Amino acid sequence: MKSLSFLLACTLALGAGRAWAQTHSWTVFAGSTTPGSTDGLGTAARFNQPNYLALDAGGNVFVTDTGNSVIRRITPAGVVSTYLGVPGANLYIDGAATLARFVAPMGITAVANGTLLITEVNSHTLRFVTATREVATAGGSTGLSGSIDAFLESARFFQPTGVVVDSNQNTFIADTANHTIRKVTLASAVTTIAGTAGQVGTTDGVGNAARFNRPRGLAIDRNDNLYVADSNNHTIRRITPAGVVTTIAGLGGFSGSNDGTATGARFNTPWGVAVDGGGTLYVADTGNHTVRRITPSGGVSTIGGAAGSAGHAEGNTSQARFSSPIGLAVDSAGTIYVAVRDNHLIARGALDTPPAIVSPPVAQTVPPSTRVEFSVSATGGGLTFQWRRNDVPIPGATGATLVVPSADTAALGNYSVVVSNSAGSVTSAPAALVISPALATGRITNLAIRSQAGTGDNTLIVGFAIGGGGPSGNKPVLIRGVGPTLAAFNVGGVLADPKLEIFSGQTRIQENDDWAGNAQIATVAGQVGAFAYGAPTSKDAAIYNPNISPGSYTVAITGNGGTTGVALAEIYDATAAATFTVTTPRLTNVSARTRVGTGDDILIAGFSISGSTNRTVLIRAIGPTLGTFNVPGALANPRLELYSGSNRILENDDWGGTAVLSTAFAAVAAFALPADSRDAAILVTLAPGSYTAQVSGVGNTTGVALVEVYEVP
């Protein structure tokens, strides 16, 4: 047995904090409601009835994982590891970290030089852990209970629980079953400083004249005042350095859940207590399943959970739920950590600060009947939102985004949002919604894809859909299959004689082999901004359909005589910009399926957004899911990159099964993707301009892929 003067070469106990605000947002820091012993990150870790906590100077949280009979450490990043002992090995062994064993570790405190003190409730001992993780018995004797004041070798405890260290390196222990508070000096002398062994009561007084009833949690402030969670008396007690015991909150022997002032408040079997640097106390009110706060002036309030409502829920002060919170720790930023025993997890309460608006809603001028979104971004925990039109709250508009389904006369006005949390509220500047019939809505106006045009399954196939406008309007469309003219742009291996076919379902509705210098096609090409063909006699192909009806179509480009080579497929919306209105049908979807190579042979699809407003588009690169459509040789893992000129805007490898993307798939009637597929997708709002979507294989793999661009309504 080592003396405490040898073991406790330390300075003062940790526990600095700051003045406290009123409310908190509660989340799970580590663990889950499923018990276990797994190490890991955050909610991937598992605990089994964690009880008490301690914070060290580096922000690490130490946990007495009592049900597993081990000590766990959680880094500030949330990484959980087993620090001492072996889960489930209920033995009492001193030694190095990998050899030491515990039976029922309970109280814990971290000392400033990297050491720990731990109480063993069923072994009736005090354990000491060096900075190098050597475990030794510092007081009491394994399995021998009692109440003997003596030097550590001969001292006896009875179910010790809470433990703290003061500025003079004296150790204090809540000797729970003895109903006393014990003190261990650096000289290893154990004395009883408050209460009398075996005598239960609620009496305030000096030293041994005071009475307790199963004291458990301890905390100490910067002035060395000791705070005691006197569990079965349902009170919080204070012991001054002179040994004067007073009840500062609650009324001895009377349980309840009332907030209030000092002895007017009520608690129900409090177990844990912590104090910040400003003298504010935090109490794990275990029987009420709540976390309470006591101000230096004695005001008691509930800052987490609801009295009598055991459970598990994240959220703000009133939304959070706990099942038997036990130990607490508070850091210098005012964040509270709570060991929630029966939830098998560590909760974290972040200090709520008043919200601040980072990105306010933006004024918009749009064509009639346009779908409009206003959005706001704000900082602060536990945020709620209330949108207003002309300063009148909009019923049900309580999200960070407000959707106006159709801009009409009734929707005109100034939109603002009130962002609130329990610490305050802030109102955004108004954003005007203006309707201008002269504006043409943003829209997809062309798709261009350059790829190898092969035969069979390697045929270059391009799809497009027309819709989104009036109920019966048709659309002029220019479709080109470029081969020989590509040579003028220094493209090698071009398709010498492309053939162009348009299908509606399985029905071929138009085809062209050589464009033959068609004057109308040349004129329309100039109007939509397409480059001119090299000569009227070139073997390039083109089709102009001035009146194609809404629906879905596919375009196939092959080489006459089974030839292959590089070809460019182009689809243009040929509606004159000056005549475009919100009822004009649009290209609502364009797509291309082809083989993806490497280097210069990756899949590059160019498209344009025209009009006067932004357009939200969904872009997908489908590889592995093509296998469900019996497409052989599908690209196993596509990567999707979106460029504006040479600037990469966004990229995606695996779409990740997100709810936002799944909702977008359904909105545009795109086929669903398995949540765990390696297909890629991007949802983005783009200004009018030209863009390219590039599809390549991760790891320079190759295969057949489908690229799709959808207008999102």
Side-chain angles (χ1 to χ4, degrees):
M1 175 111 36
K2 296 181 179 180
S3 70
L4 195 60
S5 60
F6 171 78
L7 296 171
L8 199 55
C10 59
T11 55
L12 49 87
L14 299 178
R18 64 170 185 152
W20 203 249
Q22 295 293 318
T23 56
H24 302 78
S25 293
W26 294 94
T27 57
V28 175
F29 181 50
S32 92
T33 55
T34 302
S37 60
T38 306
D39 290 337
L41 176 63
T43 56
R46 297 291 180 268
F47 298 86
N48 188 357
Q49 295 193 329
N51 270 273
Y52 283 88
L53 305 176
L55 271 164
D56 72 5
N60 298 294
V61 179
F62 291 89
V63 184
T64 53
D65 193 4
T66 307
N68 282 320
S69 296
V70 295
I71 309 301
R72 313 290 287 281
R73 179 176 64 183
I74 313 173
T75 69
V79 178
V80 179
S81 61
T82 301
Y83 190 72
L84 300 167
V86 173
N90 294 305
L91 300 169
Y92 190 100
I93 301 174
D94 288 337
T98 55
L99 301 176
R101 299 291 184 271
F102 298 83
V103 177
M106 185 62 63
I108 186 169
T109 191
V111 187
N113 67 342
T115 58
L116 301 173
L117 287 169
I118 300 164
T119 58
E120 285 264 23
V121 65
N122 292 337
S123 298
H124 316 294
T125 57
L126 175 67
R127 312 287 289 277
F128 179 86
V129 184
T130 69
T132 58
R133 298 165 65 190
E134 291 282 341
V135 180
T137 299
S141 183
T142 307
L144 297 179
S145 63
S147 181
I148 300 174
D149 285 343
F151 286 95
L152 285 176
E153 297 81 22
S154 302
R156 294 293 180 268
F157 303 92
F158 192 4
Q159 296 183 349
T161 305
V163 56
V164 293
V165 177
D166 72 5
S167 62
N168 296 311
Q169 303 174 40
N170 297 301
T171 299
F172 297 89
I173 299 170
D175 200 3
T176 302
N178 277 324
H179 314 291
T180 57
I181 307 301
R182 313 290 290 279
K183 175 182 177 180
V184 187
T185 68
L186 273 179
S188 304
V190 178
T191 58
T192 301
I193 65 160
T196 299
Q199 297 190 24
V200 174
T202 63
T203 307
D204 289 338
V206 179
N208 303 124
R211 294 292 180 267
F212 299 87
N213 191 347
R214 297 192 69 82
R216 287 192 170 96
L218 295 181
I220 198 160
D221 68 16
R222 61 178 58 182
N223 297 316
D224 287 339
N225 293 298
L226 191 64
Y227 298 91
V228 184
D230 195 4
S231 293
N232 287 13
N233 276 330
H234 315 293
T235 56
I236 307 301
R237 318 285 290 277
R238 178 172 58 206
I239 307 173
T240 68
V244 179
V245 179
T246 55
T247 300
I248 64 168
L251 184 61
F254 292 87
S255 65
S257 61
N258 295 348
D259 289 335
T261 302
T263 56
R266 294 293 181 269
F267 299 85
N268 187 356
T269 323
W271 278 55
V273 62
V275 61
D276 70 16
T280 298
L281 294 175
Y282 308 94
V283 180
D285 196 5
T286 305
N288 279 323
H289 309 289
T290 57
V291 179
R292 314 287 289 280
R293 181 183 66 120
I294 308 174
T295 67
S297 62
V300 178
S301 59
T302 300
I303 60 171
S309 296
H312 168 64
E314 298 179 309
N316 61 29
T317 290
S318 61
Q319 296 168 335
R321 293 293 181 270
F322 309 99
S323 286
S324 301
I326 299 291
L328 307 94
V330 56
D331 68 17
S332 59
T335 301
I336 306 172
Y337 299 87
V338 182
V340 191
R341 184 187 63 197
D342 294 344
N343 288 145
H344 311 288
L345 55 82
I346 311 303
R348 178 168 60 184
L351 180 66
D352 277 349
T353 56
I357 293 177
V358 178
S359 299
V362 178
Q364 299 188 51
T365 301
V366 300
S369 304
T370 302
R371 180 181 185 270
V372 177
E373 289 188 7
F374 291 103
S375 63
V376 65
S377 174
T379 60
L383 298 178
T384 61
F385 305 89
Q386 177 59 64
W387 288 89
R388 305 184 305 178
R389 176 178 169 269
N390 297 332
D391 296 324
V392 177
I394 303 172
T398 56
T401 298
L402 170 69
V403 176
V404 180
S406 180
D408 54 25
T409 303
L412 289 173
N414 292 313
Y415 288 82
S416 60
V417 59
V418 180
V419 185
S420 305
N421 65 10
S422 49
S425 64
V426 62
T427 303
S428 72
L433 174 59
V434 178
I435 300 174
S436 173
L439 286 178
T441 186
R443 60 197 185 275
I444 302 168
T445 51
N446 89 292
L447 173 74
I449 178 168
R450 194 192 81 182
S451 181
Q452 281 283 336
T455 59
D457 291 328
N458 291 322
T459 297
L460 176 53
I461 298 176
V462 180
F464 65 96
I466 294 174
S472 59
N474 293 337
K475 169 165 287 300
V477 175
L478 173 66
I479 302 171
R480 305 204 305 177
V482 187
T485 297
L486 292 179
F489 298 94
N490 298 317
V491 176
V494 300
L495 185 64
D497 189 3
K499 180 180 179 181
L500 186 63
E501 298 172 283
I502 304 177
F503 293 85
S504 175
Q506 300 297 316
T507 303
R508 184 172 60 192
I509 58 174
Q510 277 184 284
E511 66 175 309
N512 178 257
D513 184 0
D514 303 330
W515 79 290
N518 184 289
Q520 186 180 40
I521 287 176
T523 299
V524 173
Q527 291 170 346
V528 300
F531 60 83
Y533 278 158
T537 57
S538 77
K539 292 291 187 177
D540 304 292
I543 294 172
Y544 173 66
N545 188 324
N547 203 35
I548 195 165
S549 59
S552 296
Y553 301 89
T554 56
V555 177
I557 297 178
T558 55
N560 271 321
T563 56
T564 62
V566 177
L568 177 68
E570 298 177 309
I571 300 170
Y572 291 94
D573 180 339
T575 302
T579 65
F580 206 100
T581 71
V582 293
T583 61
T584 304
R586 304 183 298 277
L587 291 174
T588 56
N589 162 232
V590 288
S591 61
R593 193 196 84 182
T594 188
R595 183 167 183 79
V596 176
T598 60
D600 292 335
D601 290 329
I602 65 170
L603 171 54
I604 301 177
F607 64 95
S608 295
I609 303 293
S610 297
S612 304
T613 61
N614 295 348
R615 167 56 64 186
T616 299
V617 296
L618 170 68
I619 308 170
R620 307 202 304 178
I622 312 298
T625 300
L626 291 180
T628 63
F629 297 97
N630 299 316
V631 176
L635 185 63
N637 188 5
R639 176 188 290 112
L640 176 60
E641 298 173 282
L642 178 64
Y643 286 82
S644 174
S646 60
N647 297 320
R648 184 170 61 186
I649 303 172
L650 288 172
E651 67 174 312
N652 178 255
D653 181 1
D654 303 330
W655 77 283
T658 68
V660 171
L661 284 171
S662 295
T663 300
F665 297 171
V668 300
F671 59 82
L673 301 177
D676 60 350
S677 79
R678 308 304 293 271
D679 304 292
I682 290 171
L683 182 67
V684 61
T685 299
L686 299 174
S690 297
Y691 301 90
T692 56
Q694 300 187 10
V695 182
S696 58
V698 174
N700 286 324
T701 52
T702 62
V704 177
L706 173 69
V707 64
E708 302 173 304
V709 182
Y710 291 91
E711 169 190 295
V712 178

